[in-house]
Amino acid sequence: MNLALGVDTGGTYTDAVLIRDQEEVIASAKALTTRYDLAEGIGNAVAEVIQASGVAPKDVGMAALSTTLATNALVEGQGGRVALVYIGFGERDFDKHGLANALQGDPVLHLQGGHDHAGQEAKPLDIDALSAWLETVLDVSGFAVAAQFATRNPAHENTVAEMIRDKTGRPVSCSHHLSAKLNGPKRALTALLNARLIGMIDGLIRRAGDKLHDLGIPAPLMVVRGDGALIGADFARERPIETILSGPAASIVGAGWLTGVQDALVSDIGGTTTDVALLRGGKPAIDPDGARVGPYRTMVEAVAMRTTGLGGDSEVHVVSEGLDGGVFLGPKRLVPVSLLAEEAPDVVMATLDEQSRRTTPSELDARFVRPVFGVDAGGLSARDKAVFDRVDGVKPVSEVLRTRIEVGSLKRLQERGLVQIGGVTPSDAAHVLGLADAWDAKGAELALGLMARRRIGSGQMLADGPESLARMIVEQLTKQTSLALLESAFAEEDDGFDGAAADLARHELLQRALLGHKGLLRLDAAINIPVVGLGASAPVYYPAVGESLHCEMVLPTHAGVANAIGAVVGRVSMRRSGTVTSPAEGRYRVHLETGPEDFPEAEAAMLSLERVLTSEAEEAARASGAGDLRIQCWRDIRHSQVEGRDVFIEATITAEASGRPRIATDPV
């Protein structure tokens, strides 16, 4: 019996599953995500799934992890302090693709050097300037190195990286290792973000591995890459940037395994976000422009994903303008009041009771704050520190804030990750309606009752009571989820439409068609492929979404742990790409790690590059734990017509080695 363990760290829960022989889920478990140390939540979830399954920990032959850590860190501007060596580029190139903003004031050296498009040295590398600068850079966790046309000749990047390692002992991220494509500033951005993440991901993998070892699980840990493939822990430590969108990618792989559908929109609702992607031919669609995370467009291959700040724990905003009023959800996440009432019942219930007795409603009703332990609180201003010192446990926000100006202090503390804000969420609405029972329903009812008293433009109350408001919140979640799916459908249409996907999804004609308008015109519209709903709350909210979009809504068993399933049923896949150019007639140049190499024939050059790339991909796949490898190569050849002749311009060669991860009982 082959047992494989899959783990996913989400915004609210950490999930774990055990799968037997890649065919059957034998147990699953959830534990609250511990943001101060993700490994604690991982350990709790794994311990629960081992206990629920009754299997011996030593029999687990493989473990895989999907995580939102890298994605969230980039979105929230977190990560280590790093330094960038920028070789051969002009000053104007530095502002492209958000590179200057991404540095956040960290050290940068504009160094003479670089190559031209043919791989010839443009200017000699200024070793003396590098040596002198390294003496001044003492407080960084790592370095990023990017040189002009390094994908055509990486010699200067390699020389600088070796010198940095010798002098500092710090990890170095070279841009040509992360992408074989041109566009130096974008490659530099990718290397910079990779360097910033190394310490964080290394810590998570090390701590998670320790937790598995403490539980008696000997299996090596693998990590889900942003395109859904699996990579070894050592590879993930070296190139953590490749784990961005790891969680969403795992959910799509899990959806395919759970349902067997080949073409579908996959919508995964979590605590914080809803992620929508296209499954086409059984595989996730890949973003051709590189993964976008927050404000950054990287050169990392990842799933084409549209992420909306909409989840079970999204903040509920009261829309007081207009005669009808209403609610809007997101994009920020709150701790549900029902969860806080479970954790600190004395404080929360007493506060809600006292606020309910007041005759005048307040915007701070049912709002709480709690500290996040284990986060460095250094560098706070005097005002921010005074507010932070008052948060010594779960507290009403009205008790923590003493002046209006302190609202900004609380916001800054939240952005630093030092505190979490609690308030009304869709999860609370679900508890009021009896659709969920994990936490304190009475606390949720009191909180929604307080919000329902708020006044709208007509002077009337927002809702008649807790149940009326709860239905309003669930209906709004259905509406916003439907819009997210429509946006994705428009964005992925083969036959594109004029206009932005967001505008098209909200167009009056489409919305009237979805309602089945019948007048002088008859209008009908629907999502024309199945929608697979994932996430623990999908069975609660998504049937109504399917009805509103007139589509087949597939809600698989184990939808709540699809990410963890995707983490363990994926394949190891390693790709290596390279380029053949023609700097002169009758000369074909292969651009290698060791430098350019010329051939008299195009076919000989391409075959030589294929051999090198295949060997590198195969070696990387085996190092990541793959067995029974399948090797594939692709050629993308560009020609041009010159005076009636077919002229070779360039060829991009890609080699891929893929295979299932070896289980501990498999032969090597």
Side-chain angles (χ1 to χ4, degrees), residues 323-349:
L323 296 178
D324 295 332
V327 294
F328 184 80
L329 310 180
K332 290 189 176 179
R333 174 185 182 272
L334 299 181
V335 182
V337 175
S338 50
L339 174 57
L340 288 175
E342 190 88 5
E343 294 180 353
D346 293 343
V347 172
V348 173
M349 299 305 289

Side-chain angles (χ1 to χ4, degrees), residues 260-294:
V261 297
Q262 293 294 298
D263 300 289
L265 283 172
V266 179
S267 185
D268 184 2
I269 181 170
T272 309
T273 61
T274 292
D275 300 316
V276 182
L278 177 65
L279 192 66
R280 181 173 282 162
K283 295 182 179 180
I286 301 299
D287 191 334
D289 297 322
R292 177 183 286 280
V293 181

Side-chain angles (χ1 to χ4, degrees), residues 534-613:
L534 302 178
S537 60
V540 174
Y541 303 122
Y542 277 20
V545 173
E547 290 177 12
S548 71
L549 296 176
H550 311 294
C551 65
E552 179 187 357
M553 179 61 67
V554 182
L555 298 170
T557 306
H558 305 299
V561 291
N563 289 35
I565 290 171
V568 78
V569 300
R571 293 171 63 86
V572 175
S573 176
M574 288 294 173
R575 282 182 295 276
R576 293 292 183 267
S577 295
T579 307
V580 177
T581 60
S582 181
E585 188 172 357
R587 184 155 31 122
Y588 301 91
R589 179 164 292 170
V590 178
H591 298 275
L592 301 170
E593 176 77 15
T594 53
E597 186 176 337
D598 289 346
F599 291 81
E601 301 288 341
E603 182 63 23
M606 290 188 288
L607 284 173
S608 175
L609 182 56
E610 281 183 359
R611 284 192 292 269
V612 171
L613 296 176

Side-chain angles (χ1 to χ4, degrees), residues 205-243:
I205 292 173
R206 180 171 39 80
R207 291 274 295 120
D210 289 344
K211 283 290 179 184
L212 296 183
H213 182 268
D214 292 344
L215 290 168
I217 297 173
L221 185 64
M222 307 194 77
V223 182
V224 179
R225 199 168 58 194
D227 62 356
L230 292 172
I231 53 178
D234 289 342
F235 188 89
R237 285 188 176 100
E238 182 183 340
R239 303 188 190 182
I241 190 73
E242 300 212 16
T243 68

